[in-house]
Amino acid sequence: MKPIYRPSGALITKADFVPTHITADYVIGLAGNPNTGKSTVFNTLTGLNQHTGNWPGKTVSQARGFYRHQGKNVILVDLPGTYSLLANSIEEEVARDFICFAKPHATVVVVDATCLERNLNLVLQVLEITPRTLVCLNLVDEAERKGLHIDVGGLSDELGIPVVPTAARSGRGMTLLKDSINNIASGEHATQPRPVRYLGSLENAIGRLETYLEQVYTNGLSKRWVALRLLEGDSTIIQAIHNHSLAVTQQEG
Amino acid sequence: MKEGDYTLARLPIGSKGIVVGVEATGSTRRRLLDLGLVPGTVVEAIRRSPLGDPTAFGIRGAIVALREEDGDVVLVRPLW
Ligand SMILES: Nc1nc2c(ncn2[C@@H]2O[C@H](COP(=O)(O)OP(=O)(O)OP(=O)(O)O)[C@@H](O)[C@H]2O)c(=O)[nH]1
Ligand SMILES: [Mg+2]
């Protein structure tokens, strides 16, 4: 079997995740903090149409599955649970590389409605990489049991992306989730995320770097996100982008 | 670190503290912040492994195990 994942910055593409016997319309990533119900969402949506294995070269397990909705074939990739995407661990590196370099048609961030605040950090990080993002607000049944009421419309407006309330274990909200995934993946719903604004001095530095990056990078990564990583001195992403650029150059001969 | 300041690593099991600072830089700092250890966060020391390390903490609705070297750079004000 051909490797479906090559580490850090290698030329992974969406096609690497599509089984040979299927023509896929969309490839979708499923991200989220640990224990938020990602695998439950994954199982509910894909049923028995699954393939599990490891990310080649990594000890992280990897699952991808398939479903059909509104005439579209959708491949779902269950990413490892992480609190962050800044490559502090192999799991974070796998999730980050998938979103950055395989560029899924959409990324679903599954969040725990009972501790929303801690989950939003990851949502904001994904949004800095790609606007093709939606929130699956899972465990709403648990939240209701605890007497928590979540202003779903307000949250969606603040973030600038769709928020779909679900209780994946009982299948609640799954149809709306699939609708929303298709809308974003097709580009029919162009989201307008509200970027996090940093201190003035930082925004100045970001702006200057973005202008510079525009001249040297054409790989489609968000310039703002790369600028932030450079300012943070994140050597893993610098290496990953470097590897990726080299690979692209080699392929183009 | 000033005399009388507490770190997460010194928080007695069963007690809570409020984060007042993270004395780390670079990726360690970033990782701790990503776990939810930002100033103002209330943290509870839940249990310590039989070997004395790591310790499980309740942080913003999740239980997270931290090694002593990480807990030692998170300054807290004990809540008792
Ligand atoms: N009540 C309720 N429980 C849920 C829901 N979704 C998932 N769970 C339960 O939450 C637990 C964790 O679910 P998983 O799907 O394994 O979570 P995960 O995000 O894949 O976890 P990791 O892969 O370990 O990060 C399981 O016991 C699920 O049955 C839900 O909507 N409501
Ligand atoms: Mg899982």
Side-chain angles (χ1 to χ4, degrees), chain B residues 50-73:
Chain B
L51 298 172
D53 196 36
T55 302
F57 296 95
I59 307 170
R60 292 176 182 261
I63 294 178
V64 178
L66 286 182
R67 284 176 314 198
E68 188 174 353
E69 62 193 82
D70 289 326
D72 243 347
V73 298

mmCIF file of all heavy atoms in Angstrom, chain B residues 50-73:
data_model
loop_
_atom_site.group_PDB
_atom_site.id
_atom_site.type_symbol
_atom_site.label_atom_id
_atom_site.label_comp_id
_atom_site.label_asym_id
_atom_site.label_seq_id
_atom_site.Cartn_x
_atom_site.Cartn_y
_atom_site.Cartn_z
ATOM 1 N N PRO B 50 1.945 7.336 42.438
ATOM 2 C CA PRO B 50 2.617 6.689 43.572
ATOM 3 C C PRO B 50 4.121 7.006 43.621
ATOM 4 O O PRO B 50 4.707 7.022 44.689
ATOM 5 C CB PRO B 50 2.388 5.200 43.321
ATOM 6 C CG PRO B 50 1.164 5.138 42.479
ATOM 7 C CD PRO B 50 1.186 6.378 41.635
ATOM 8 N N LEU B 51 4.681 7.279 42.477
ATOM 9 C CA LEU B 51 6.119 7.574 42.453
ATOM 10 C C LEU B 51 6.405 9.045 42.770
ATOM 11 O O LEU B 51 7.548 9.473 42.748
ATOM 12 C CB LEU B 51 6.705 7.222 41.080
ATOM 13 C CG LEU B 51 6.606 5.741 40.707
ATOM 14 C CD1 LEU B 51 7.028 5.526 39.257
ATOM 15 C CD2 LEU B 51 7.467 4.905 41.642
ATOM 16 N N GLY B 52 5.358 9.812 43.006
ATOM 17 C CA GLY B 52 5.553 11.218 43.364
ATOM 18 C C GLY B 52 5.503 12.162 42.168
ATOM 19 O O GLY B 52 5.462 13.379 42.314
ATOM 20 N N ASP B 53 5.503 11.612 40.979
ATOM 21 C CA ASP B 53 5.511 12.419 39.766
ATOM 22 C C ASP B 53 5.007 11.546 38.623
ATOM 23 O O ASP B 53 5.396 10.377 38.563
ATOM 24 C CB ASP B 53 6.963 12.888 39.487
ATOM 25 C CG ASP B 53 7.024 14.024 38.481
ATOM 26 O OD1 ASP B 53 6.125 14.869 38.490
ATOM 27 O OD2 ASP B 53 7.975 14.037 37.687
ATOM 28 N N PRO B 54 4.165 11.963 37.700
ATOM 29 C CA PRO B 54 3.580 13.313 37.629
ATOM 30 C C PRO B 54 2.378 13.484 38.570
ATOM 31 O O PRO B 54 1.990 12.561 39.266
ATOM 32 C CB PRO B 54 3.109 13.364 36.172
ATOM 33 C CG PRO B 54 2.751 11.950 35.842
ATOM 34 C CD PRO B 54 3.714 11.099 36.611
ATOM 35 N N THR B 55 1.778 14.680 38.501
ATOM 36 C CA THR B 55 0.586 14.990 39.275
ATOM 37 C C THR B 55 -0.546 15.337 38.318
ATOM 38 O O THR B 55 -0.316 15.975 37.294
ATOM 39 C CB THR B 55 0.865 16.191 40.210
ATOM 40 O OG1 THR B 55 1.954 15.866 41.056
ATOM 41 C CG2 THR B 55 -0.360 16.528 41.058
ATOM 42 N N ALA B 56 -1.756 14.862 38.672
ATOM 43 C CA ALA B 56 -2.930 15.181 37.852
ATOM 44 C C ALA B 56 -3.585 16.456 38.373
ATOM 45 O O ALA B 56 -3.840 16.583 39.572
ATOM 46 C CB ALA B 56 -3.917 14.027 37.879
ATOM 47 N N PHE B 57 -3.841 17.389 37.455
ATOM 48 C CA PHE B 57 -4.481 18.644 37.823
ATOM 49 C C PHE B 57 -5.790 18.813 37.063
ATOM 50 O O PHE B 57 -5.896 18.384 35.909
ATOM 51 C CB PHE B 57 -3.579 19.835 37.478
ATOM 52 C CG PHE B 57 -2.290 19.867 38.239
ATOM 53 C CD1 PHE B 57 -1.137 19.334 37.689
ATOM 54 C CD2 PHE B 57 -2.236 20.421 39.519
ATOM 55 C CE1 PHE B 57 0.062 19.364 38.391
ATOM 56 C CE2 PHE B 57 -1.046 20.449 40.233
ATOM 57 C CZ PHE B 57 0.112 19.916 39.672
ATOM 58 N N GLY B 58 -6.769 19.420 37.715
ATOM 59 C CA GLY B 58 -8.007 19.790 37.028
ATOM 60 C C GLY B 58 -7.836 21.195 36.493
ATOM 61 O O GLY B 58 -7.648 22.147 37.263
ATOM 62 N N ILE B 59 -7.839 21.320 35.150
ATOM 63 C CA ILE B 59 -7.627 22.628 34.522
ATOM 64 C C ILE B 59 -8.755 22.907 33.533
ATOM 65 O O ILE B 59 -8.872 22.236 32.515
ATOM 66 C CB ILE B 59 -6.282 22.669 33.760
ATOM 67 C CG1 ILE B 59 -5.120 22.231 34.647
ATOM 68 C CG2 ILE B 59 -6.036 24.083 33.213
ATOM 69 C CD1 ILE B 59 -3.804 22.028 33.883
ATOM 70 N N ARG B 60 -9.606 23.846 33.851
ATOM 71 C CA ARG B 60 -10.687 24.263 32.947
ATOM 72 C C ARG B 60 -11.480 23.084 32.383
ATOM 73 O O ARG B 60 -11.667 22.957 31.175
ATOM 74 C CB ARG B 60 -10.120 25.092 31.786
ATOM 75 C CG ARG B 60 -9.579 26.441 32.219
ATOM 76 C CD ARG B 60 -8.951 27.182 31.068
ATOM 77 N NE ARG B 60 -8.403 28.453 31.492
ATOM 78 C CZ ARG B 60 -9.021 29.626 31.349
ATOM 79 N NH1 ARG B 60 -10.208 29.692 30.819
ATOM 80 N NH2 ARG B 60 -8.445 30.720 31.762
ATOM 81 N N GLY B 61 -11.881 22.187 33.266
ATOM 82 C CA GLY B 61 -12.778 21.111 32.846
ATOM 83 C C GLY B 61 -12.097 19.875 32.295
ATOM 84 O O GLY B 61 -12.760 18.926 31.905
ATOM 85 N N ALA B 62 -10.761 19.860 32.247
ATOM 86 C CA ALA B 62 -10.060 18.648 31.810
ATOM 87 C C ALA B 62 -9.038 18.258 32.871
ATOM 88 O O ALA B 62 -8.589 19.107 33.645
ATOM 89 C CB ALA B 62 -9.358 18.880 30.477
ATOM 90 N N ILE B 63 -8.721 16.970 32.923
ATOM 91 C CA ILE B 63 -7.695 16.516 33.855
ATOM 92 C C ILE B 63 -6.405 16.300 33.076
ATOM 93 O O ILE B 63 -6.380 15.575 32.085
ATOM 94 C CB ILE B 63 -8.145 15.232 34.573
ATOM 95 C CG1 ILE B 63 -9.343 15.575 35.464
ATOM 96 C CG2 ILE B 63 -7.002 14.663 35.412
ATOM 97 C CD1 ILE B 63 -9.939 14.410 36.194
ATOM 98 N N VAL B 64 -5.360 16.972 33.516
ATOM 99 C CA VAL B 64 -4.100 16.973 32.779
ATOM 100 C C VAL B 64 -2.971 16.587 33.736
ATOM 101 O O VAL B 64 -2.889 17.100 34.843
ATOM 102 C CB VAL B 64 -3.820 18.389 32.208
ATOM 103 C CG1 VAL B 64 -2.487 18.418 31.484
ATOM 104 C CG2 VAL B 64 -4.951 18.828 31.277
ATOM 105 N N ALA B 65 -2.120 15.640 33.300
ATOM 106 C CA ALA B 65 -0.978 15.244 34.121
ATOM 107 C C ALA B 65 0.235 16.093 33.762
ATOM 108 O O ALA B 65 0.560 16.262 32.593
ATOM 109 C CB ALA B 65 -0.666 13.768 33.904
ATOM 110 N N LEU B 66 0.864 16.649 34.792
ATOM 111 C CA LEU B 66 2.057 17.473 34.555
ATOM 112 C C LEU B 66 3.223 16.938 35.360
ATOM 113 O O LEU B 66 3.064 16.508 36.503
ATOM 114 C CB LEU B 66 1.804 18.917 34.995
ATOM 115 C CG LEU B 66 0.913 19.806 34.155
ATOM 116 C CD1 LEU B 66 0.868 21.199 34.770
ATOM 117 C CD2 LEU B 66 1.408 19.876 32.723
ATOM 118 N N ARG B 67 4.408 16.979 34.741
ATOM 119 C CA ARG B 67 5.602 16.594 35.483
ATOM 120 C C ARG B 67 6.014 17.724 36.411
ATOM 121 O O ARG B 67 5.679 18.889 36.176
ATOM 122 C CB ARG B 67 6.736 16.275 34.501
ATOM 123 C CG ARG B 67 6.569 14.920 33.837
ATOM 124 C CD ARG B 67 7.649 14.737 32.831
ATOM 125 N NE ARG B 67 7.771 15.968 32.018
ATOM 126 C CZ ARG B 67 8.370 16.023 30.845
ATOM 127 N NH1 ARG B 67 8.922 14.966 30.350
ATOM 128 N NH2 ARG B 67 8.414 17.149 30.169
ATOM 129 N N GLU B 68 6.796 17.364 37.429
ATOM 130 C CA GLU B 68 7.183 18.345 38.427
ATOM 131 C C GLU B 68 7.921 19.530 37.796
ATOM 132 O O GLU B 68 7.694 20.683 38.150
ATOM 133 C CB GLU B 68 8.070 17.667 39.488
ATOM 134 C CG GLU B 68 8.354 18.578 40.665
ATOM 135 C CD GLU B 68 9.106 17.865 41.779
ATOM 136 O OE1 GLU B 68 9.285 16.636 41.697
ATOM 137 O OE2 GLU B 68 9.530 18.566 42.713
ATOM 138 N N GLU B 69 8.786 19.221 36.801
ATOM 139 C CA GLU B 69 9.558 20.320 36.192
ATOM 140 C C GLU B 69 8.657 21.330 35.483
ATOM 141 O O GLU B 69 8.993 22.514 35.404
ATOM 142 C CB GLU B 69 10.614 19.753 35.233
ATOM 143 C CG GLU B 69 9.991 18.985 34.080
ATOM 144 C CD GLU B 69 11.019 18.151 33.296
ATOM 145 O OE1 GLU B 69 11.330 17.040 33.756
ATOM 146 O OE2 GLU B 69 11.477 18.623 32.248
ATOM 147 N N ASP B 70 7.498 20.865 34.974
ATOM 148 C CA ASP B 70 6.556 21.799 34.358
ATOM 149 C C ASP B 70 5.754 22.546 35.428
ATOM 150 O O ASP B 70 5.569 23.757 35.349
ATOM 151 C CB ASP B 70 5.594 21.048 33.429
ATOM 152 C CG ASP B 70 6.306 20.556 32.168
ATOM 153 O OD1 ASP B 70 7.212 21.258 31.699
ATOM 154 O OD2 ASP B 70 5.949 19.471 31.675
ATOM 155 N N GLY B 71 5.290 21.771 36.423
ATOM 156 C CA GLY B 71 4.498 22.381 37.493
ATOM 157 C C GLY B 71 5.287 23.434 38.247
ATOM 158 O O GLY B 71 4.726 24.382 38.795
ATOM 159 N N ASP B 72 6.590 23.285 38.255
ATOM 160 C CA ASP B 72 7.451 24.185 39.012
ATOM 161 C C ASP B 72 7.583 25.582 38.416
ATOM 162 O O ASP B 72 8.006 26.510 39.089
ATOM 163 C CB ASP B 72 8.852 23.564 39.127
ATOM 164 C CG ASP B 72 9.205 23.275 40.575
ATOM 165 O OD1 ASP B 72 8.474 23.778 41.467
ATOM 166 O OD2 ASP B 72 10.182 22.557 40.802
ATOM 167 N N VAL B 73 7.228 25.731 37.132
ATOM 168 C CA VAL B 73 7.374 27.059 36.524
ATOM 169 C C VAL B 73 6.043 27.812 36.468
ATOM 170 O O VAL B 73 5.987 28.931 35.987
ATOM 171 C CB VAL B 73 7.985 26.978 35.098
ATOM 172 C CG1 VAL B 73 9.385 26.382 35.160
ATOM 173 C CG2 VAL B 73 7.086 26.179 34.158
#
